[in-house]
């Protein structure tokens, strides 16, 4: 029992390190392709794309956005002269994506993310994001599109814009504790995609990597944006509450492939374009045939349910019939988002409070993990029942 938390942390740190190595290998490959020569790969050094962000440091600061110390012009690595590895230091960790970096809004200390967009590559992303920021849409609680807090034009680079957005976390982190938490997550995602479709926008890439969560209330102390299991200052592991204790809001992000259509266009047609999920059935043999992108959105979200819940968790089998319909090979046989929402509401209503409060079990957990997580889950469960905390935790608007 006492060793289980330590083992879990060690495994989590190992998984983070493996993921970082994978990103490093991919980054090295891209730099080789772009610059024709392999750069020195010392741990912790600035990458080519990080240098670009460093060049924007003072301009962004003048705009009210402060990058981490790693990107300051006067930065000196904190590990120099010390007997420690760069990865053990806050400033030794590289932003994982070349076009996204974290920062702090200086006016109120809000942690944010900055995303650089090339207008020539993704000409509709800013337009669609700003459309959902219009007052009558932004105030709608069914709107789960990531908000654009600001849009900046990069000096001397006319093709580039920087989107200022809240700092979000992968929607699967930290792990789901109860079935009710999963139900609320999916309710919000279904609601959000229906909201987009009702406003005649097809996301066209709503797979798992483009689903995020506002997790700031889950963490009593800020998490590190690159290594979220660590405190922001890297002084130790960060603690978090459950989604039942602090219900989060989920967001659909990345409108680079999204398109908005006229309300009178009942069957818009677009040539297939592959997003992060390459498994779309209708794209496999019909890459040159224009298709309605809305049923493809249904597939993406249905496949996310399979990949993130049905294949990896136990006790969520009630989702399978709906997910199976959402991922049918024939896009014309898939339900609309309106039908998905209605069916999911009926499914949720049939779940007992006991089922909703039951623990979500990972298929990868061993005996010790199950003993540890099971014990802590039951302690919380008893408190929630006594205090009559809702089994489906919804965030306040």
């Amino acid at each position: 029992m006492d060793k289980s938390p330590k083992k879990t942390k060690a495994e989590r740190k190992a998984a983070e390190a493996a993921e970082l190595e994978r990103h490093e290998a991919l980054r090295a490959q891209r730099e080789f392709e772009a610059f024709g020569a392999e750069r020195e790969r010392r741990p912790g050094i600035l990458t080519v794309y990080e240098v670009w962000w460093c060049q924007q440091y003072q301009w962004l600061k003048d705009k009210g956005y402060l990058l981490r110390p790693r990107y300051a012009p006067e930065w000196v690595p904190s590990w120099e002269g010390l007997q420690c590895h760069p990865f053990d230091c806050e400033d030794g960790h590289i932003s994982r994506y070349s076009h996204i970096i974290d920062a702090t809004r200086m006016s109120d200390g809000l942690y944010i993310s900055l995303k650089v967009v090339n207008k020539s590559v993704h000409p509709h992303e800013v337009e669609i994001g700003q459309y959902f920021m219009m007052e009558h849409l932004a105030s709608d609680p069914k709107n789960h599109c990531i908000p654009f807090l600001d849009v900046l034009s990069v000096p001397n680079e006319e093709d580039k814009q920087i989107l200022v957005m809240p700092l979000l976390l992968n929607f699967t982190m930290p792990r789901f504790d109860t079935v009710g938490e999963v139900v609320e997550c999916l309710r919000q995602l279904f609601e959000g995609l229906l909201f987009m479709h009702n406003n005649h926008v097809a996301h066209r890439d709503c797979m798992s990597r483009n689903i995020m969560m506002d997790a700031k209330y889950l963490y009593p102390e800020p998490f590190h944006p690159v290594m979220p299991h660590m405190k922001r200052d890297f002084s130790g592991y960060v603690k978090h509450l459950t989604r039942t204790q602090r219900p989060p809001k989920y967001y659909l992000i990345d409108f680079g492939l999204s398109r908005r259509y006229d309300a009178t266009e009942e069957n818009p047609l677009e040539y297939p374009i592959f997003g992060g999920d390459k498994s779309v059935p209708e794209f496999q043999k019909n890459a040159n045939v224009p298709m309605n992108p809305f049923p493809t959105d249904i597939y993406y979200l249905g496949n996310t349910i399979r990949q993130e819940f049905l294949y990896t968790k136990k006790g969520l089998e009630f989702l399978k019939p709906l997910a199976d319909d959402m991922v049918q090979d024939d896009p014309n046989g898939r339900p609309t988002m309106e039908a998905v929402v209605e069916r999911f509401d009926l499914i949720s209503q049939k779940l007992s409070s006991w089922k909703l409060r039951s623990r979500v079990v990972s298929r990868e957990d061993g005996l010790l993990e199950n003993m540890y997580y099971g014990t802590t889950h039951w302690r919380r469960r008893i408190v929630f029942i006594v205090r009559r905390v809702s089994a489906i935790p919804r965030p306040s608007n």
Side-chain angles (χ1 to χ4, degrees):
M1 284 290 294
D2 293 335
K3 295 182 179 179
S4 181
K6 295 180 181 179
K7 180 179 180 182
T8 301
K9 289 179 180 178
E11 290 179 344
R12 184 169 55 188
K13 190 171 183 179
E16 290 279 355
E19 181 71 2
L20 187 62
E21 287 183 11
R22 187 180 72 82
H23 281 282
E24 281 289 308
L26 181 60
R27 184 181 297 112
Q29 177 185 346
R30 289 175 176 171
E31 289 182 4
F32 180 80
E33 293 171 351
F35 299 97
E38 189 170 354
R39 300 172 69 250
E40 185 181 8
R41 304 304 303 175
R42 294 200 317 273
I45 66 168
L46 291 169
T47 63
V48 170
Y49 73 77
E50 284 186 301
V51 172
W52 184 87
W53 284 107
C54 291
Q55 293 168 348
Q56 316 307 317
Y57 182 91
Q58 188 58 50
W59 167 69
L60 286 170
K61 185 176 181 181
D62 293 341
K63 289 291 185 179
Y65 305 108
L66 186 65
L67 299 181
R68 282 188 289 126
R70 174 181 178 84
Y71 305 105
E74 66 277 9
W75 175 61
V76 176
S78 62
W79 60 86
E80 286 191 0
L82 302 176
Q83 298 297 320
C84 63
H85 193 278
F87 289 171
D88 293 327
C89 303
E90 185 281 325
D91 59 343
H93 290 272
I94 300 167
S95 179
R96 293 189 175 186
Y97 300 99
S98 61
H99 60 299
I100 301 175
I101 203 167
D102 65 280
T104 302
R105 188 165 65 182
M106 298 168 66
S107 62
D108 58 3
L110 179 70
Y111 296 124
I112 57 171
S113 61
L114 304 175
K115 177 182 180 180
V116 62
V117 174
N118 292 320
K119 292 184 285 186
S120 59
V121 179
H122 299 297
H124 304 287
E125 182 160 10
V126 172
E127 171 195 344
I128 289 175
Q130 290 180 326
Y131 169 66
F132 285 115
M133 286 299 293
M134 295 175 64
E135 185 176 355
H136 70 288
L137 297 178
S139 61
D140 193 322
K142 295 180 180 179
N143 184 349
H144 292 269
C145 298
I146 185 170
F148 289 2
L149 307 178
D150 201 355
V151 178
L152 308 174
S153 297
V154 180
N156 304 317
E157 297 191 56
E158 294 183 0
D159 191 43
K160 285 185 169 60
Q161 292 178 294
I162 291 179
L163 308 178
V164 181
M165 301 171 287
L167 179 65
L168 304 180
L169 196 62
N170 183 298
F171 82 109
T172 63
M173 298 173 59
R175 63 192 290 157
F176 288 89
D177 182 39
T178 69
V179 170
E181 293 176 359
V182 174
V183 168
E184 172 58 17
C185 171
L186 294 180
R187 184 196 69 80
Q188 291 190 39
L189 296 180
F190 292 154
E191 177 182 75
L193 191 56
L194 175 60
F195 180 82
M196 293 187 71
H197 286 191
N198 283 344
N199 283 282
H200 318 293
V201 176
H203 190 288
R204 304 183 74 201
D205 197 18
C206 50
M207 38 76 72
S208 59
R209 196 165 60 239
N210 288 332
I211 298 172
M212 304 289 281
M213 174 180 65
D214 186 352
K216 62 178 177 289
Y217 298 119
L218 284 175
Y219 291 83
E221 296 181 79
F223 57 85
H224 192 274
V226 180
M227 306 293 282
H229 64 285
M230 299 295 293
K231 294 181 181 179
R232 191 173 179 89
D233 62 1
F234 247 64
S235 61
Y237 290 108
V238 69
K239 295 181 180 179
H240 63 81
L241 301 171
T242 70
R243 299 163 200 249
T244 300
Q245 294 166 307
R246 297 286 178 85
K249 182 169 182 176
Y250 298 90
Y251 288 96
L252 296 166
I253 70 165
D254 193 352
F255 309 127
L257 302 182
S258 303
R259 295 293 183 272
R260 182 184 172 196
Y261 304 98
D262 190 273
T264 61
E265 202 168 356
E266 296 182 0
N267 185 38
L269 299 177
E270 295 278 2
Y271 283 100
I273 183 168
F274 283 93
D277 185 345
K278 313 297 183 186
S279 65
V280 181
E282 57 265 34
F283 289 2
Q284 305 306 315
K285 296 181 180 180
N286 301 307
N288 297 317
V289 178
M291 301 178 186
N292 188 328
F294 289 96
T296 305
D297 276 359
I298 308 298
Y299 175 86
Y300 283 137
L301 205 47
N303 199 37
T304 295
I305 295 173
R306 291 197 302 185
Q307 298 292 335
E308 299 296 336
F309 296 110
L310 294 176
Y311 294 166
T312 61
K313 307 293 189 296
K314 298 178 182 178
L316 301 174
E317 292 76 17
F318 60 88
L319 295 171
K320 189 176 185 304
L322 177 57
D324 286 346
D325 280 350
M326 294 174 70
V327 298
Q328 291 184 62
D329 285 352
D330 180 6
N332 295 320
R334 296 170 197 157
T336 64
M337 271 314 303
E338 185 174 8
V340 169
V341 168
E342 290 177 356
R343 283 184 58 182
F344 185 71
D345 284 345
L346 292 175
I347 292 171
S348 302
Q349 291 170 18
K350 293 179 180 179
L351 298 175
S352 67
S353 176
W354 188 262
K355 176 64 176 179
L356 291 168
R357 294 190 188 279
S358 63
R359 184 169 73 92
V360 176
V361 179
S362 171
R363 296 185 185 275
E364 296 180 353
D365 285 347
L367 178 61
L368 290 178
E369 285 82 5
N370 279 320
M371 289 176 63
Y372 170 72
Y373 288 120
T375 300
T376 56
H377 165 81
W378 268 103
R379 289 173 183 168
R380 288 190 297 269
R381 185 173 184 172
I382 293 171
V383 172
F384 294 154
I385 292 173
V386 171
R387 293 182 177 178
R388 298 185 178 181
V389 176
S390 176
I392 301 180
R394 294 193 176 187
S396 60
N397 293 328

